[in-house]
Every structure is written in C-alpha cells, then in structure tokens.
Amino acid sequence: MIVISDFDGADDATRKMIGAMTRHNNVVALLVHDPLQSDLPASASMTVTDGELQIELEVGRASVRKSLEQATEARLKGVFAWTRELGVPVLPLSAAEETAPQLRRLLGAMPSRHGRGGGHTRTEATLG
C-alpha cells in the first residue's frame, strides 16, 4: 500500500490506522513536501489558508521564518518517529516536480521484500 500525504495533522489515529495496514500489507509513505517552504523568500509575505481561515505571514521576518522552520521540524520529527517504529519507509515527494516521474524513480528504487524487483537497493531520502 502506498500512502501519499503531507502528514500535516497526522495524529495517534493516523498512526493506528497505518499500523493496522502494516499488519497484512507492505506500506510505503510518500511524504509530500514543498521545497519553497524550506527556501522562503527573504523579503516577502505569504497568504496561508486552511480553506476557511487565512492569515498573511511576513516570511521576511526572522522570527516568522524561525517559527515556521520549528513547526515543520517538529511535525516531521513526529512523523519519522512513528513511521520508523512501524517499519514504514518514508520517501519524499516534491510538490515542485512532476508526480509520475518521481513515483517511478522513488518506487523503482525500493527494495523487493519478496525477492522480485531486480535487486534494487534501499534509497535513503531526506527532506530539507
């Protein structure tokens, strides 16, 4: 099974659901990320929305940039902790690139758990 998500809002229920999937399936998590989030413009503002509410962030301010970086780091640290505990590989899926070629590249590099797949080696991928 392939779970594609940014895992924003992932909680204990998410962990339990994916844990249940791993009992009878091979599970891979594709973590969607936006490279722009880690390379914010030095002097700009951004409008951020959850679909209902919106806020304008002055990302040129060091304190705002630091808060965003800390929030992202804390979220990813939590996701990586429980996926590692469950034995679920996490691969980065960039919102800045075409999806299909990334999927072919990322999933083609996954090791085969059943002796099939032509001897692929595990890819260690990082975000940032």
Side-chain angles (χ1 to χ4, degrees):
M1 297 184 80
I2 300 171
V3 178
I4 301 175
S5 177
D6 65 0
F7 292 97
D8 189 24
D11 56 13
D12 195 48
T14 308
R15 184 199 174 289
K16 287 178 183 174
M17 184 173 37
I18 292 179
M21 290 180 203
T22 64
R23 285 195 272 285
H24 302 287
N25 303 282
N26 295 332
V27 178
V28 175
L30 294 177
L31 178 61
V32 179
H33 68 97
D34 185 346
L36 180 62
Q37 188 173 355
S38 51
D39 189 24
L40 296 169
S43 61
S45 64
M46 299 174 67
T47 302
V48 180
T49 182
D50 67 357
E52 288 184 32
L53 303 174
Q54 69 181 38
I55 186 171
E56 190 161 326
L57 297 175
E58 296 296 329
V59 296
R61 291 180 42 207
S63 62
V64 172
R65 295 167 77 88
K66 185 171 178 114
S67 293
L68 289 171
E69 289 170 5
Q70 289 172 337
T72 299
E73 186 177 318
R75 179 177 61 87
L76 292 176
K77 188 174 183 179
V79 170
F80 291 143
W82 61 259
T83 53
R84 186 174 24 257
E85 178 184 312
L86 294 173
V88 173
V90 178
L91 302 173
L93 188 65
S94 174
E97 296 178 42
E98 291 278 336
T99 303
Q102 286 183 86
L103 290 174
R104 282 191 292 275
R105 183 179 72 247
L106 292 168
L107 297 175
M110 290 293 301
S112 173
R113 295 182 106 184
H114 301 291
R116 296 181 301 246
H120 297 296
T121 60
R122 180 174 205 135
T123 302
E124 292 297 326
T126 59
L127 299 174

